[in-house]
Amino acid sequence: MGLFDKLKKTFTNVSEKISFDRLTEGLAKTRDSIVGKLRSALFAGRKIDQQLLDEIEEILITSDVGVTATTHIIARISERVRRDAVENAEEILSMLKEEIATMMAASPSAEADRTFSLSKGELPHVIMVVGVNGVGKTTTIGKLAHNYRQAGHSVLIGAADTFRAAANEQLEVWATRAGVDIVQQQQGADPAAVAFDTLKAAVSRNTDVVIIDTAGRLHNKLGLMQELEKISRVMKKVQPSAPHDIFLVLDATTGQNALQQAREFTKVAPITGIVLTKLDGTAKGGAVLAIAHAMNIPVRYIGVGEQIGDLQPFDPAAYVEAMFEDHRTEVVDA
Ligand code: GDP
Ligand code: GDP
Ligand code: MG
């Protein structure tokens, strides 16, 4: 291996280590709330009985994993305990880790998501970002734009949240940070018209990636559906295959509410991926499991802070590792 390749490999490992540490740090509260409790229940030598399974069930449900996902996990654990005649309660911890990792299916586009790479034929790659107010759409757009720029792609942002007064200025701040251009109109303009202008501009400039911000109000489902459909329809006039991705942004700190929003939004738009924000410092990281289990949509990215570098491609295995990471006791892998 040449020096350059060696250096590159070291840098990759270092940055992977840093982002894993960031995730581990972000999941500290989730770890304390779920895994801390599980560890106290699953001590060495404890007998595996119905009472123990009920306790695990209770811990998972009260940690925002949700009833359906919990029921699934408990059923799998009971089956394995019976089948393999497991006697030591401590072994259940590694079983839980495996079951949880299996439950969160990896996205088919995980590799492209990780490297922010694009398939040549479809350019500009158009990403529409949807979700209720305050979940972190605009912040996520800034982070995505930054990452695509870092990967060497040109990016244009469309400010189609024309509803909120300060939306344009906030998006401009993020566009400046990411070093990308933005297309906007005055407050109250037709969001579809902004999306149209953005795509037109992107095509004429040969831009690689277009990211469309949208307004987040959900008080009227029909209105929202019509608006999202209209934005898509108008963009198709410029590029028939657009939008290539519709990302639903969900705030992890809202727990079961995030799951409810996922249910509502999947009814009104063909969501291709979930971005779960604010995973730093929340105790509700268990909501990822509920969402992954209930929705047939992969979690594509996670937000682990308010800075431009705080977006990570979602890696189920790394997530479970970070969730179960324990500095106090040695984790014995099965
Ligand atoms: P929008 O209304 O959906 O566009 O949400 P914004 O992008 O304006 O974000 C709402 C708030 O959430 C802001 O204060 C952001 O700084 C904050 N936020 C967004 N993503 C994250 C994240 O991953 N972690 C943390 N801690 N805060 C975030
Ligand atoms: P409508 O508002 O329900 O009539 O929706 P349209 O499908 O006509 O498009 C919505 C907006 O997108 C319009 O107000 C235009 O600003 C923009 N738009 C759509 N198609 C075109 C087009 O062919 N040319 C231009 N310049 N703008 C378009
Ligand atoms: Mg916004």
Side-chain angles (χ1 to χ4, degrees), residues 116 127-130 134-148 155 157 170-171 174-175 177-178 211-213 247-251 273-278 300-312:
F116 291 90
I127 304 170
M128 199 168 142
V129 179
V130 305
V135 289
K137 289 183 297 300
T138 303
T139 308
T140 298
I141 289 167
K143 293 170 176 175
L144 283 170
H146 165 76
N147 278 290
Y148 278 111
V155 181
I157 294 175
Q170 195 201 352
L171 199 56
W174 276 106
R177 277 181 199 151
I211 312 176
I212 304 289
D213 195 8
F247 284 169
L248 171 63
V249 181
L250 299 171
D251 174 346
I274 287 167
V275 179
L276 201 61
T277 61
K278 310 187 196 180
R300 304 272 292 269
Y301 292 99
I302 54 177
V304 293
E306 294 181 275
Q307 304 303 311
I308 203 157
D310 293 333
L311 185 78
Q312 296 190 359

Side-chain angles (χ1 to χ4, degrees), residues 6-219:
K6 267 190 200 148
L7 273 176
K8 208 167 79 178
K9 193 158 188 294
T10 309
F11 277 123
T12 308
N13 291 344
V14 168
S15 65
E16 271 169 11
K17 173 78 168 70
I18 291 170
S19 67
F20 184 73
D21 287 349
R22 188 90 183 83
L23 182 61
T24 309
E25 189 189 309
L27 289 178
K29 284 189 187 148
T30 297
R31 190 160 50 247
D32 288 347
S33 112
I34 307 185
V35 183
K37 284 180 201 154
L38 286 173
R39 280 187 203 280
S40 325
L42 297 166
F43 51 84
R46 180 167 180 186
K47 192 167 153 281
I48 302 175
D49 53 13
Q50 193 53 46
Q51 196 199 329
L52 177 60
L53 293 173
D54 289 348
E55 258 177 59
I56 300 171
E57 185 170 3
E58 164 97 22
I59 293 166
L60 294 177
I61 290 176
T62 55
S63 305
D64 282 286
V65 176
V67 177
T68 329
T70 299
T71 307
H72 171 82
I73 295 170
I74 296 294
R76 292 283 305 137
I77 297 290
S78 311
E79 192 189 313
R80 288 179 64 175
V81 165
R82 210 175 309 122
R83 191 191 62 200
D84 304 336
V86 180
E87 284 180 354
N88 186 354
E90 232 184 345
E91 283 178 45
I92 292 184
L93 210 55
S94 54
M95 273 188 209
L96 276 170
K97 217 165 132 178
E98 282 167 23
E99 293 304 331
I100 289 170
T102 312
M103 233 172 69
M104 298 189 287
S107 162
S109 58
E111 187 53 26
D113 291 350
R114 197 176 64 77
T115 53
F116 291 90
S117 50
L118 302 164
S119 55
K120 287 270 175 285
E122 305 276 13
L123 301 183
H125 181 78
V126 180
I127 304 170
M128 199 168 142
V129 179
V130 305
V132 307
N133 275 334
V135 289
K137 289 183 297 300
T138 303
T139 308
T140 298
I141 289 167
K143 293 170 176 175
L144 283 170
H146 165 76
N147 278 290
Y148 278 111
R149 283 287 297 134
Q150 295 288 105
H153 304 299
S154 52
V155 181
L156 190 60
I157 294 175
D161 175 3
T162 58
F163 189 71
R164 222 162 45 81
N168 277 359
E169 288 106 275
Q170 195 201 352
L171 199 56
E172 255 182 65
V173 169
W174 276 106
T176 307
R177 277 181 199 151
V180 307
D181 283 344
I182 176 172
V183 171
Q184 52 185 309
Q185 289 183 18
Q186 74 289 5
Q187 190 199 341
D190 181 354
V194 178
F196 182 90
D197 286 353
T198 311
L199 219 53
K200 267 276 196 220
V203 167
S204 72
R205 296 182 195 181
N206 278 320
T207 304
D208 301 322
V209 184
V210 166
I211 312 176
I212 304 289
D213 195 8
T214 64
R217 61 202 186 283
L218 188 60
H219 61 246

